[in-house]
């Protein structure tokens, strides 16, 4: 409940900064549709979508919801193998829309909702209940988000993003 207003306030504080680094490393995600609202802080015009989640009986469109405060500077997103779910939907969508540059390592490739059933021997079996396809047709499940700039050194990834933001 408090995340979106705090995020909007921070972006207002950085309104004149040349760029913002959104560190989503080891972020396991959250409520999928939040990606649409978060993307709206970086894309000011309607009509864009991050992708869609296809289920057996319905398709959920991840449309960008432009916000009153839109940050126009460069956007660097940091990812790693622990970045999953909603984090991947947001990052891939903004990469597809050419609004963000991704730094770090490939994300987890675990973007889908799933169910777990208990097997007769007590083991659990987890299976996806949908498929997610980005605006450019990328399937995230099992593939992850591929960074624009791969940086394996966890400490150096912020420096790489900052150099891009401050560069030409």
């Amino acid at each position: 409940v408090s995340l979106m207003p705090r995020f909007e306030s921070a972006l207002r504080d950085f309104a004149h900064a040349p760029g913002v680094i959104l560190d989503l490393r080891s972020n396991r995600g959250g409520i999928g549709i939040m990606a649409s609202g978060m993307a709206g802080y970086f894309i000011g015009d309607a009509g864009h979508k991050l992708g869609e989640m296809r289920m057996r009986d319905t398709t959920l469109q991840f449309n960008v919801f432009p916000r009153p405060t839109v940050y126009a500077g460069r956007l660097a997103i940091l990812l790693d193998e622990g970045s999953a779910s909603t984090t991947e939907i947001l990052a891939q969508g903004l990469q597809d829309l050419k609004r963000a540059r991704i730094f770090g390592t490939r994300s987890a490739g675990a973007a889908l909702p799933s169910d777990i059933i208990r097997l007769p021997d007590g083991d659990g079996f987890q299976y996806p209940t949908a498929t997610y396809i980005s605006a450019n047709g990328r399937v995230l499940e099992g593939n992850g988000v591929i960074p624009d700039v791969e940086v394996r050194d966890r400490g150096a990834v912020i420096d790489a993003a900052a150099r891009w933001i401050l560069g030409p």
Side-chain angles (χ1 to χ4, degrees):
V1 173
S2 66
L3 174 66
M4 299 298 262
R6 288 176 38 207
F7 191 76
E8 184 172 348
S9 175
L11 284 179
R12 269 197 306 270
D13 291 345
F14 295 125
H16 300 293
V20 167
I21 298 173
L22 186 56
D23 190 348
L24 299 178
R25 292 175 294 174
S26 298
N27 183 313
R28 303 303 295 166
I31 301 168
I33 202 65
M34 279 185 70
S36 294
M38 295 296 283
Y41 288 115
F42 301 102
I43 297 175
D45 50 330
H48 296 283
K49 75 175 191 174
L50 302 176
E52 61 187 32
M53 188 170 293
R54 297 178 187 164
M55 293 158 273
R56 186 173 296 221
D57 298 325
T58 189
T59 298
L60 177 62
Q61 300 293 328
F62 282 75
N63 296 315
V64 174
F65 299 122
R67 310 299 252 173
T69 301
V70 176
Y71 179 76
R74 288 186 170 189
L75 174 61
I77 297 177
L78 310 184
L79 297 179
D80 65 11
E81 63 283 348
S83 306
S85 192
T86 303
T87 297
E88 294 178 290
I89 291 169
L90 177 64
Q92 185 66 60
L94 291 174
Q95 184 186 48
D96 283 359
L97 294 170
K98 308 277 189 253
R99 183 57 189 94
R101 191 162 172 91
I102 311 298
F103 293 81
T105 58
R106 185 188 299 246
S107 65
L112 299 181
S114 62
D115 283 336
I116 300 174
I117 58 171
R118 197 59 52 204
L119 299 174
D121 67 357
D123 288 345
F125 177 72
Q126 183 175 12
Y127 61 95
T129 57
T131 188
Y132 180 82
I133 300 169
S134 78
N136 281 353
R138 287 208 66 232
V139 175
L140 292 179
E141 195 68 18
N143 296 314
V145 178
I146 299 169
D148 296 296
V149 179
E150 184 174 15
V151 182
R152 294 202 168 276
D153 181 334
R154 188 163 176 83
V157 70
I158 292 174
D159 293 336
R163 277 193 305 277
W164 172 72
I165 287 171
L166 298 173

